[in-house]
Amino acid sequence: MIKHGIAIVFLTLLTQLGGIAWLLALILRPLFGRFLTIFLATYLGLSVGVHYAAPSTGRVALPCLDAGPTQVAVLNPLYCALNRHYVTPEMKDYANSLAAHMHETFPGTRTRALDGGFPFLNGFPLLPHLSHDDGQKLDLAFFYTDAGGEYQLGKARSPIGYWGFEDPRPGDPEPCADQSGISLRWDVAWLQPYLRDWPLDEARTGEMLRWLAENPVGEDFRIFIEPHLARRLGVSGDAVGFQGCNAARHDDHIHVQFVPAATPPSPEPVQPDPAAPIEQDPAPIETETTE
């Protein structure tokens, strides 16, 4: 049973729903046999179900496949398989506005998302992120070209968008150069030779960062990107910041977060005071006419 407990914890942390599916598969196995088949079918059913149930708790799903140039979709369907593609409706609308702008500025561009959040429960961690626990955060993939300068439609150096780092150039700011100790700031050096050798599309990525910086929404609007990349792309602003040395590197994606602005309550209709006197319309004034 220990291995099942480990599996339940691991799948819960990875997908939020996987632990529930594993537990249900254990319960149903005596009736149907074939544990793995039951688990996969149960997990699929739960994932489809929460797609329709999540809006009732203030989360909506981003598209898993290309939905056109004016809508943000996830870079890799794996994010949908792991239920990590949920955001608030306000975040989805904002991301789609960005996608529409990118398409207008660079026709045919596809804007892609990485991790968003899980479908339920504010405060539930989306590991390995330090935030992404309420649907109000979204990571956006960079844009890339091939060696010949041709834009790579809806693709990134890494199949999942993360870990294809843009290393600082000589003279660039490196606030974590002297960092030591345990942190989530992984370099993943062993992986770099296996990633696509594509240069950053600085025109598109810079335009995305510029639009975000110039179009803040909601409350506590923040953008996280490595300082050397913000300087290289020529973008600054009050919302553009550094996530710190204990969090993951942000020279492979852009992090956006904001708290949706509160909707003011609708005014209650004024009820008439039953004790107030009822005003009568004045009687019409009769006038004489002469023939």
Side-chain angles (χ1 to χ4, degrees), residues 16-30:
Q16 194 175 58
L17 303 178
I20 300 174
W22 193 275
L23 183 60
L24 290 174
L26 286 174
I27 296 172
L28 296 174
R29 180 172 58 177

Side-chain angles (χ1 to χ4, degrees), residues 60-281:
V60 293
L62 296 176
C64 301
L65 301 173
D66 185 81
T70 61
Q71 293 192 55
V72 169
V74 294
L75 178 74
N76 191 315
L78 178 64
Y79 291 106
C80 295
L82 299 179
N83 295 300
R84 302 167 74 96
H85 63 305
Y86 288 87
V87 293
T88 62
E90 294 83 358
M91 177 63 83
K92 183 176 182 179
D93 290 343
Y94 183 70
N96 286 339
S97 296
L98 167 65
H101 170 78
M102 294 303 300
H103 170 58
E104 180 181 1
T105 307
F106 300 95
T109 296
R110 296 296 198 271
T111 304
R112 293 291 185 249
L114 308 178
D115 270 335
F118 285 134
F120 301 119
L121 299 178
N122 287 345
F124 194 98
L126 186 82
L127 299 179
H129 301 278
L130 297 178
S131 57
H132 288 257
D133 59 357
D134 54 12
Q136 298 172 1
K137 288 89 178 179
L138 181 64
D139 288 345
L140 297 166
F142 288 166
F143 300 101
Y144 296 89
T145 67
D146 62 14
E150 182 177 352
Y151 164 61
Q152 297 302 296
L153 183 70
K155 297 179 181 179
R157 286 188 60 209
S158 163
I160 62 171
Y162 293 113
W163 304 331
F165 301 119
E166 295 293 320
D167 290 326
R169 295 173 175 175
D172 280 344
E174 297 186 57
C176 303
D178 298 327
Q179 180 190 15
S180 61
I182 299 174
S183 76
L184 294 175
R185 193 175 176 83
W186 307 326
D187 291 329
V188 200
W190 62 269
L191 182 63
Q192 303 309 303
Y194 300 100
L195 301 180
R196 300 176 177 117
D197 188 18
W198 288 348
L200 182 70
D201 187 333
E202 296 190 15
R204 285 179 170 84
T205 305
E207 182 61 29
M208 174 169 65
L209 181 60
R210 187 173 300 105
W211 187 91
L212 293 170
E214 294 176 355
N215 292 274
V217 294
E219 302 172 2
D220 194 26
F221 181 84
R222 300 294 303 277
I223 304 164
F224 292 147
I225 189 171
E226 294 293 320
H228 72 88
L229 265 185
R231 188 174 79 167
R232 176 172 154 189
L233 297 173
V235 179
S236 62
D238 294 339
V240 180
F242 174 52
Q243 73 284 352
C245 294
N246 290 323
R249 290 177 60 167
H250 282 63
D251 47 5
D252 58 348
H253 70 280
I254 296 175
H255 170 102
V256 182
Q257 67 179 55
F258 65 87
V259 179
T263 303
S266 301
E268 296 183 1
V270 178
Q271 300 295 331
D273 185 356
I278 300 175
E279 296 184 1
Q280 301 286 344
D281 291 335

